[in-house]
């Protein structure tokens, strides 16, 4: 086969392969030769004309073994196949030429006509018609499917070789023109205007060829190169489109011999005629025309995922995920895989920030609490100083005895003891403040805490001295003052807790409890009188109670009398709004003489005690809500009744029943003496105590004795008896509780034990 033949006329059959098909895949029919020389021939092409290895005779490849190595030609024609790549078949091009002598006579001429009509092939639009020369007019006649004719061409001229530019094919020495689609016959004509006379020195020949322009680049030297034709035939390929069948995809799918097998797509031919090609679907590979069709591509073999990803192959695709310890979508193009630890900075930052903020909040709170605490401590220290705390401390340190008997409580300790002065801890409210029940923890002890309303600073020293004296008072019938707290705005006084309410309550509210017999009333009177006498006489300087009244006589668990608020009226300022007077004391109990003179003496206490005694005998309140002036005040009422000899008419019926008339008369006489208007006419507390005690021993009426015995049997079974042993030796002393003193009375159970 020679390029110098006049015409190259042939029928040829070409294969275009799907993009996904790689030549490494065995894709020829069984028992068919797969290679011709260096060229692999895939189905529907097949080597050997009439060998049956192709889909149809158009796809036969004639492998001419007379060449070494053998050369492949389309069917029985002379178009030599260069390559089968992608969807195109590339064949060797043909170059038309015409050469002149210096006078413009033609010395040589090749015309090219390529005719592939009737085949399933057409010239691809990827080709261009290229003309080389400085005096050339080339024409191109085409015919295609449906016998449509088309003529095209271009003119290439130049006058000076210096005008030419390498790679420039825009009409100066080189021109190019596109071709329409579906063309199957090409006939090229070369013509000239002047027969190259003016340019002959550097361009004796003109050339024209149809081929892939990307494989040719114009060089000015080509114009005078005698080897141009052969070089171009070898290097420039002519691209042919192809299709199978003569139907569109939609039509072919219905027919039995539809060529596209499994996992492949059908693509309609774009050659301007019916026909289609098959192409492996995305993610599949193989030969779509050969059984079993396209097979899955194991994309994971090429590791398409991130280096820290895991690739999982699925039919037609693959999936990426991340290894343990990594986060992300696992793809190379997407988020990839990021080590979890690399997120830690964010987490660490967030955690750090949170902890930082928390630390700041805690620090601020701590600062706030510390400042408040400090302020509270300062305030408490201020109150402590203000309330004479330093003076008290000084006194305590100089007197060991005082130190033992008295305690200075901290504000916090008492707050804890009273559950922060809770409402349910209130025992009662009096003229000077509120009394709370408290529980001390070290040592465990129930106490009564008296919180005054206001404090008079000018009396501070006196107050401290009184507290010290009163804490040293030890008498079984006096409520013990345990200590005080000076860290609060008003000082707090801490007393021993006395369980069974006040004498006032039992006289007026308890509704005649069995234990509240005349005998027990008399015993309480003797105890109270003894305690008052002790305080009037036992200390170096008499301690005047100033507020003797039945609400200030408390009863302990054995119903023993306990005088409360001894001297307390001097420890706390007077609240004018309450039922108290300037000389202190409670209306109804107040000594009229001291009221007049504004002088309080021991005899004021005697008067008040007389009222309590009258209260015990008559069970009447010291002040009654009556309009009768004589009956309003118990003292006036009692003294008047005595004068009018009506004593037994005003006595409490139980007292009358249980006491002997002589005894009652004698005690009433004591009351009368206590209630004398002039203090000096009144007996002393000691006299009162002794007289009362001797009268207690006064024999009773036999019928009353019998009744009392009956009652005491009942009381022995759980209640307190009014039968007590009495010691006449009622000496009282200042000193530790009960030490050196003989109790005035004991409950019967005690003496028996
Ligand atoms: P005054 O203020 O004139 O003394 P008051 O005796 O009625 O009047 P407070 O001494 O303040 O008032 O007492 C109020 C109440 O608290 C009393 O009625 C009593 O019930 C209770 N109380 C006082 N001291 C104690 C105590 N040591 N143990 C148990 N309860 C007490
Ligand atoms: Mg009181």
């Amino acid at each position: 086969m020679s390029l110098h033949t006049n015409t190259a006329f042939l029928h040829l059959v070409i294969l275009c392969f799907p993009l996904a098909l790689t030549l490494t895949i065995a894709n020829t029919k069984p028992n068919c030769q797969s290679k011709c020389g260096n060229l692999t021939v895939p189905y529907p092409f097949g080597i050997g004309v009439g060998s049956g290895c192709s889909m149809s005779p158009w796809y036969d490849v004639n492998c001419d073994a007379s060449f070494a190595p053998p050369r492949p030609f389309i069917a029985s024609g002379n178009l030599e196949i260069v390559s089968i790549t992608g969807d195109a078949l590339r064949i060797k091009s043909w170059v038309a030429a015409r050469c002149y002598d210096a006078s413009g006579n033609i010395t040589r001429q090749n015309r090219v006509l390529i005719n592939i009509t009737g085949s399933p092939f057409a010239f691809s639009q990827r080709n261009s018609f290229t003309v080389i020369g400085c005096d050339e007019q080339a024409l191109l006649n085409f015919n295609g499917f449906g016998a449509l004719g088309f003529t095209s061409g271009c003119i290439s001229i130049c006058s000076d070789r210096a005008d030419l530019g390498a790679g420039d094919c825009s009409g100066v020495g080189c021109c190019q023109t596109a071709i329409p689609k579906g063309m199957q016959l090409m006939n090229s004509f070369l013509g000239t205007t002047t027969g190259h006379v003016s340019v002959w020195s550097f361009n004796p020949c003109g050339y024209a060829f149809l081929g892939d322009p990307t494989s040719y680049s114009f060089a000015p030297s080509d114009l005078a190169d005698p080897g141009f034709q052969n070089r171009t035939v070898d290097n420039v390929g002519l691209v042919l489109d192809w299709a199978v069948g003569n139907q569109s995809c939609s039509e072919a799918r219905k027919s039995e011999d539809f060529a596209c097998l499994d996992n492949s797509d059908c693509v309609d031919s774009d050659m301007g005629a019916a026909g289609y090609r098959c192409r492996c679907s995305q993610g599949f590979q193989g030969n779509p025309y050969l059984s079993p069709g396209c097979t899955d591509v194991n994309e994971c073999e090429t590791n398409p995922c991130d280096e820290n990803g895991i690739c999982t192959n699925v039919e037609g695709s693959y999936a990426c995920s991340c290894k343990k310890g990594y986060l992300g979508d696992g793809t190379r193009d997407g988020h990839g895989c990021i080590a979890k630890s690399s997120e830690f900075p964010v987490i660490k930052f967030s955690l750090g920030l949170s902890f930082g903020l928390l630390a700041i909040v805690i620090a601020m709170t701590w600062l706030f609490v510390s400042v408040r605490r400090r302020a509270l401590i300062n305030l408490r220290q201020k109150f402590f100083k203000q309330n004479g705390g330093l003076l008290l401390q000084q006194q305590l340190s100089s007197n060991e005895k005082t130190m033992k008997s008295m305690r200075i409580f901290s504000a916090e300790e008492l707050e804890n003891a009273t559950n922060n002065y809770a409402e349910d801890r209130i025992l009662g409210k009096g003229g000077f403040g509120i009394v709370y029940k408290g529980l001390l923890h070290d040592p465990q002890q129930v106490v009564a805490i008296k919180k005054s309303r206001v404090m008079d600073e000018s009396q501070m020293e006196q107050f401290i001295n009184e507290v010290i004296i009163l804490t040293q008072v030890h008498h079984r019938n006096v409520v013990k003052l345990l200590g005080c707290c000076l860290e609060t705005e008003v000082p707090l006084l801490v007393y021993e807790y006395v369980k069974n309410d006040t004498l006032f309550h039992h006289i007026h509210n308890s509704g005649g409890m069995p234990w509240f017999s005349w005998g027990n009333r008399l015993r309480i009177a003797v105890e109270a009188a003894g305690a008052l006498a002790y305080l009037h006489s036992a200390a170096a300087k008499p301690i005047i109670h100033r507020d003797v009244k039945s609400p200030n006589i408390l009863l302990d668990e054995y119903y023993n009398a306990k005088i409360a608020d001894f001297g307390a009226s001097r420890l706390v300022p007077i609240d004018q709004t309450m039922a108290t007077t300037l000389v202190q004391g409670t209306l109804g109990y107040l000594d009229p003489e001291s009221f007049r003179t504004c002088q309080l003496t021991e005899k004021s206490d005697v008067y008040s005690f007389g009222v309590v005694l009258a209260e015990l005998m008559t069970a009447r309140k010291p002040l009654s809500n009556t309009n009768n002036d004589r009956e309003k005040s118990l003292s006036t009422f009692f003294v008047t009744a005595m004068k009018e000899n009506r004593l037994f008419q005003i006595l409490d019926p139980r007292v009358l029943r249980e006491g002997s008339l002589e005894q009652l008369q004698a005690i009433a006489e004591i009351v009368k003496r206590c209630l004398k208007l002039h203090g000096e006419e009144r007996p002393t507390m000691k006299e009162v105590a002794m007289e009362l005690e001797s009268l207690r021993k006064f024999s009773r009426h036999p019928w009353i004795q019998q009744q009392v015995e009956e009652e005491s049997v009942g009381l022995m079974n759980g209640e307190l008896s009014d039968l007590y042993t009495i010691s006449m030796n009622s000496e009282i002393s200042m000193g530790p509780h009960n030490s050196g003193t003989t109790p005035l009375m004991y409950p019967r159970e005690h003496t028996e034990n």
Side-chain angles (χ1 to χ4, degrees):
M1 228 176 286
S2 163
L3 283 171
H4 303 288
T5 48
N6 278 346
T7 51
F9 179 79
L10 42 107
H11 295 280
L12 44 100
V13 182
I14 302 172
L15 172 72
C16 177
F17 242 42
L19 274 170
L21 193 66
T22 65
L23 298 178
T24 53
I25 292 171
N27 50 17
T28 49
K29 272 181 118 179
N31 304 320
C32 288
Q33 190 182 332
S34 64
K35 287 188 100 173
C36 175
N38 293 327
L39 179 73
T40 302
V41 179
Y43 191 79
F45 284 85
I47 294 173
V49 177
S51 64
C53 285
S54 68
M55 187 182 273
S56 79
W58 289 111
Y59 305 105
D60 283 346
V61 173
N62 172 23
C63 188
D64 190 342
S66 60
F67 298 97
R71 288 159 66 175
F73 294 90
I74 295 177
S76 49
N78 56 357
L79 295 178
E80 184 180 348
I81 302 169
V82 177
S83 68
I84 304 170
T85 57
D87 56 353
L89 179 71
R90 191 173 287 256
I91 59 169
K92 280 191 175 174
S93 186
W94 292 77
V95 179
R98 209 147 78 145
C99 295
Y100 302 89
D101 60 16
S103 317
N105 302 312
I106 296 171
T107 56
R108 182 168 69 84
Q109 170 166 245
N110 298 116
R111 261 181 64 213
V112 171
L113 183 145
I114 305 173
N115 184 3
I116 50 173
T117 49
S119 78
F121 309 113
F123 302 119
S124 168
Q125 282 193 291
R126 282 185 252 175
N127 298 302
S128 290
F129 181 58
T130 307
V131 176
I132 307 292
C134 281
D135 186 13
E136 291 306 316
Q137 303 167 9
L139 284 181
L140 197 59
N141 280 337
F142 284 112
N143 262 304
F145 291 112
L148 287 169
F150 180 81
T151 301
S152 182
C154 68
I155 297 173
S156 172
I157 48 171
C158 65
S159 51
D160 194 338
R161 196 177 184 281
D163 297 342
L164 305 171
D168 179 12
C169 197
S170 55
V172 182
C174 174
C175 70
Q176 267 178 345
T177 185
I179 62 164
K181 69 177 176 184
M183 296 297 123
Q184 290 188 302
L185 183 144
M186 184 208 84
N187 197 0
S188 58
F189 302 94
L190 282 169
T192 178
T193 325
T194 63
H196 281 241
V197 174
S198 57
V199 295
W200 185 84
S201 60
F202 60 91
N203 177 217
C205 298
Y207 307 99
F209 62 87
L210 185 67
D212 179 3
T214 61
S215 57
Y216 171 73
S217 180
F218 171 69
S221 57
D222 290 346
L223 294 173
D225 181 6
F228 176 78
Q229 254 187 308
N230 288 346
R231 193 158 45 79
T232 305
V233 167
D234 284 341
N235 295 334
V236 179
L238 173 58
V239 184
L240 300 179
D241 292 332
W242 63 277
V244 295
N246 50 9
Q247 291 167 303
S248 66
C249 289
S250 53
E251 290 161 348
R253 255 190 209 106
K254 294 171 201 158
S255 69
E256 270 184 12
D257 50 0
F258 179 54
C260 304
L261 300 181
D262 285 354
N263 304 318
S264 68
D265 304 321
C266 180
V267 184
D268 279 319
S269 154
D270 56 355
M271 294 188 299
Y276 62 91
R277 288 196 314 276
C278 305
R279 182 170 70 187
C280 281
S281 304
Q282 180 78 33
F284 292 89
Q285 65 183 359
N287 190 320
Y289 303 95
L290 267 181
S291 179
C294 299
T295 53
D296 178 48
V297 177
N298 184 0
E299 292 90 351
C300 293
E301 280 175 0
T302 58
N303 197 11
C305 300
D306 186 273
E307 59 180 331
N308 291 311
I310 300 167
C311 181
T312 312
N313 183 46
V314 291
E315 276 279 291
S317 185
Y318 65 96
C320 294
S321 56
C322 288
K323 285 180 193 167
K324 209 173 168 188
Y326 288 85
L327 288 175
D329 62 6
T331 59
R332 273 186 200 281
D333 309 332
H335 298 294
C337 290
I338 303 160
K340 270 184 187 163
S341 58
S342 65
E343 288 198 339
F344 280 5
V346 180
I347 295 166
K348 273 182 194 160
F349 178 74
S350 317
L351 277 176
L353 197 70
S354 313
F355 277 121
L357 286 174
L358 195 70
I360 291 172
V361 170
I362 290 172
M364 300 277 286
T365 315
W366 180 80
L367 204 70
F368 179 72
V369 170
S370 307
V371 168
R372 281 204 54 182
R373 211 182 153 79
R374 190 69 250 160
L376 194 69
I377 289 170
N378 288 344
L379 192 70
R380 282 176 180 173
Q381 279 174 351
K382 187 186 128 197
F383 286 143
F384 187 74
K385 276 184 204 157
Q386 203 174 295
N387 293 338
L390 297 179
L391 185 71
L392 183 61
Q393 266 178 344
Q394 212 179 344
Q395 298 260 16
L396 291 184
S397 58
S398 64
N399 188 335
E400 207 181 307
K401 194 175 157 200
T402 314
M403 213 154 86
K404 272 189 195 154
S405 62
M406 128 141 248
R407 248 181 96 182
I408 299 179
F409 295 90
S410 73
E412 204 176 343
E413 197 177 357
L414 298 189
E415 268 167 26
N416 291 340
T418 55
N419 197 11
N420 221 354
Y421 303 102
E423 283 283 312
D424 61 353
R425 294 295 184 91
I426 295 178
L427 287 170
K429 290 177 184 173
F432 302 107
I434 305 169
V435 181
Y436 294 88
K437 184 177 181 177
L439 179 67
L440 298 178
H441 294 286
D442 189 25
Q444 280 240 344
Q445 187 183 4
V446 185
V447 291
I449 299 162
K450 193 160 194 168
K451 194 178 189 184
S452 310
R453 292 204 173 96
V454 275
M455 184 67 202
D456 183 355
E457 272 183 53
S458 62
Q459 293 182 350
M460 195 54 61
E461 195 174 338
Q462 193 194 348
F463 165 79
I464 295 298
N465 287 332
E466 295 264 356
V467 168
I468 291 170
I469 293 168
L470 291 179
T471 49
Q472 290 174 64
V473 171
H474 299 287
H475 189 280
R476 66 187 302 267
N477 299 116
V478 175
V479 175
K480 186 156 170 40
L481 178 66
L482 301 172
C484 65
C485 169
L486 304 174
E487 288 176 359
T488 45
E489 195 175 0
V490 285
L492 299 167
L493 296 170
V494 182
Y495 292 96
E496 79 172 288
Y497 173 71
V498 185
K499 195 179 163 198
N500 274 326
D501 229 312
T502 63
L503 181 61
F504 182 90
H505 171 83
H506 290 281
I507 298 173
H508 303 292
N509 301 331
S510 67
M513 287 280 283
W515 79 271
F516 202 55
S517 60
W518 168 241
N520 273 332
R521 291 185 211 193
L522 195 51
R523 174 179 54 80
I524 290 166
V526 170
E527 286 170 350
L532 288 168
Y534 157 72
L535 286 149
H536 285 177
S537 58
K541 192 176 158 208
I543 302 169
I544 306 168
H545 189 293
R546 296 156 198 255
D547 197 13
V548 175
K549 56 180 181 178
S550 59
N552 275 344
I553 299 172
L554 306 179
L555 296 168
D556 72 6
E557 54 189 324
Y558 304 113
Y559 297 93
N560 291 327
K562 293 262 186 186
I563 303 272
D565 293 342
F566 218 103
S569 53
R570 275 176 65 185
L571 296 183
V572 284
I574 319 141
D575 186 339
Q576 306 266 334
T577 60
M578 304 309 290
T580 54
T581 66
L582 273 176
V583 274
Q584 303 165 16
T586 306
L587 287 178
Y589 296 92
L590 192 63
D591 166 20
E593 188 185 46
S594 60
F595 187 72
R596 226 176 35 249
T597 60
C598 294
Q599 287 273 312
L600 269 172
T601 63
E602 297 102 305
K603 296 295 176 70
S604 311
D605 283 351
V606 175
Y607 182 91
S608 303
F609 182 77
V611 178
V612 175
L613 213 49
E615 220 179 325
L616 277 167
M617 292 181 84
T618 61
R620 293 175 78 105
K621 287 191 178 164
L623 281 180
S624 303
N625 288 335
T626 163
N627 292 329
N628 185 338
D629 279 351
R630 289 203 319 167
E631 289 187 18
K632 208 168 219 154
S633 151
L634 176 60
S635 50
T636 316
F637 177 68
F638 195 94
V639 173
T640 312
M642 288 277 289
K643 263 189 206 152
E644 294 171 359
N645 219 5
R646 288 190 291 109
L647 171 69
F648 299 112
Q649 288 167 31
I650 63 162
L651 292 182
D652 180 21
R654 184 167 176 184
V655 172
L656 198 57
R657 214 167 51 238
E658 294 174 8
S660 74
L661 299 181
E662 296 87 338
Q663 186 196 42
L664 293 173
Q665 185 67 49
I667 293 172
E669 285 300 328
I670 297 174
V671 173
K672 195 175 148 195
R673 277 160 60 214
C674 288
L675 296 178
K676 287 272 181 208
L677 286 178
H678 299 290
E680 65 265 25
E681 292 173 20
R682 298 173 202 156
T684 62
M685 264 333 291
K686 190 162 187 177
E687 284 164 0
V688 173
M690 289 179 71
E691 282 176 34
L692 283 176
E693 198 176 318
S694 58
L695 279 168
R696 267 199 81 206
K697 294 163 75 184
F698 204 84
S699 62
R700 297 164 180 143
H701 293 299
W703 63 274
I704 294 209
Q705 181 71 39
Q706 188 194 347
Q707 191 182 352
V708 168
E709 271 168 5
E710 275 167 16
E711 257 177 24
S712 63
V713 171
L715 289 163
M716 290 286 280
N717 295 332
E719 290 168 15
L720 286 172
S721 166
D722 64 343
L723 296 177
Y724 294 91
T725 54
I726 301 164
S727 160
M728 276 307 292
N729 181 13
S730 56
E731 277 290 321
I732 356 170
S733 75
M734 296 281 267
H737 187 69
N738 283 344
S739 69
T741 60
T742 310
L744 281 175
M745 300 161 211
Y746 292 104
R748 176 176 281 180
E749 295 94 299
H750 276 215
T751 51
E752 281 174 358
N753 282 343

